[in-house]
Amino acid sequence: MNIVPQEIEAYVKEHTNPTSALLQELEKETYLRIPLPQMLSGIVEGSLLQILIRASNAKHILEVGTFTGFSGLMMAEALPDDGQLITCEISSLHAECAQRYFARSPHGKKITLKLAPAMETLKALESNAFDFMFIDADKVNYPSYYEEGMRLIRPNGIIAIDNTLWSGEVLHPRDKDSKAIDGLNKKVRNDNRVDVVMLTVRDGLSIIKKK
């Protein structure tokens, strides 16, 4: 199920800031060499994350789900020179690809990749230490990542969660992934600790501000 018609998606991309040559190369390699390349966040979502980071003056970012590093590099570009981004990844294949591109980017110095189960990394981090969090990883653990995020994000910080429409499967959730996402969507909507808006960007993107 396409959330937005493909011709509209193409028009949106044409009217969004272009990415760097390095990010274009990373996207091309991802589609040529990496299984499930559609997991790459892409230019539109990446640009939206950049605007949110700059508008909120974020300096400390936490990412759950590195994949090949596209979203991490997009977000690092939006950080000031003394900004920091910690990104969590469990796949050595994905981490190897991401690290190669981080090393080639002038913004790679801002990024620390943690190759381990994400919950292990999150539980070791200090509370209220982050300004911005992006969650785009295994869907069944979304509720756990969200709760840890609420501990780790400072008041007025932002959590962005990808795939919250899950190709429309949340309308009639049947498998464990769609049930986990639908359950989280309902939880966030009724969570008096936050303000939330769900956008039809890509496969659904929820923007959550901690009060």
Side-chain angles (χ1 to χ4, degrees):
M1 177 178 179
N2 292 322
I3 303 301
V4 178
Q6 290 184 354
E7 60 270 27
I8 297 296
E9 286 279 7
Y11 184 88
V12 169
K13 289 179 181 178
E14 289 172 7
H15 294 83
T16 297
N17 288 342
T19 56
S20 65
L22 182 65
L23 281 167
Q24 291 172 28
E25 182 183 338
L26 170 54
E27 184 172 12
K28 183 177 180 180
E29 177 176 343
T30 300
Y31 275 85
L32 287 174
R33 195 175 71 85
I34 304 296
L36 301 175
Q38 68 272 19
M39 287 167 47
L40 185 139
S41 56
I43 179 176
V44 175
E45 186 169 14
S47 296
L48 176 56
L49 295 176
Q50 287 185 335
I51 289 173
L52 290 170
I53 290 163
R54 290 183 173 122
S56 62
N57 295 311
K59 290 184 66 175
H60 298 92
I61 297 175
L62 180 59
E63 178 180 46
V64 182
T66 311
F67 193 44
T68 56
F70 186 93
S71 55
L73 276 176
M74 288 285 287
M75 291 189 289
E77 286 182 2
L79 282 171
D81 288 341
D82 60 344
Q84 297 179 326
L85 185 152
I86 293 175
T87 184
C88 307
E89 181 55 54
I90 197 170
S91 164
S92 57
L93 174 65
H94 298 165
E96 180 276 329
C97 181
Q99 289 281 33
R100 280 192 289 107
Y101 282 88
F102 294 167
R104 294 173 57 192
S105 169
H107 303 283
K109 63 184 179 181
K110 307 171 191 175
I111 303 174
T112 300
L113 191 154
K114 300 286 190 179
L115 183 59
M119 285 302 294
E120 289 183 12
T121 299
L122 299 184
K123 287 184 178 297
L125 297 173
E126 183 180 348
S127 297
N128 299 315
F130 296 89
D131 308 305
F132 192 94
M133 181 179 187
F134 180 48
I135 301 174
D136 185 13
D138 52 313
K139 311 312 171 193
V140 292
N141 281 315
Y142 265 26
S144 298
Y145 298 148
Y146 172 71
E147 281 303 325
E148 277 300 297
M150 288 298 294
R151 178 182 69 81
L152 295 167
I153 290 289
R154 62 167 175 78
N156 294 314
I158 294 172
I159 301 175
I161 306 181
D162 198 13
N163 302 118
T164 49
L165 289 175
W166 202 230
S167 299
E169 293 297 318
V170 290
L171 297 177
H172 305 286
R174 296 181 179 88
D175 61 24
K176 60 183 181 180
D177 288 337
S178 56
K179 288 179 180 178
I181 295 170
D182 179 56
L184 176 62
N185 291 340
K186 288 179 169 62
K187 177 178 182 176
V188 174
R189 172 61 182 83
N190 294 303
D191 191 342
N192 60 16
R193 300 173 296 173
V194 303
D195 295 315
V196 60
V197 60
M198 184 183 292
L199 306 175
T200 52
V201 174
R202 197 167 172 263
D203 191 24
L205 181 69
S206 290
I207 308 298
I208 302 157
K209 186 181 80 68
K210 182 179 175 181
K211 294 180 180 178

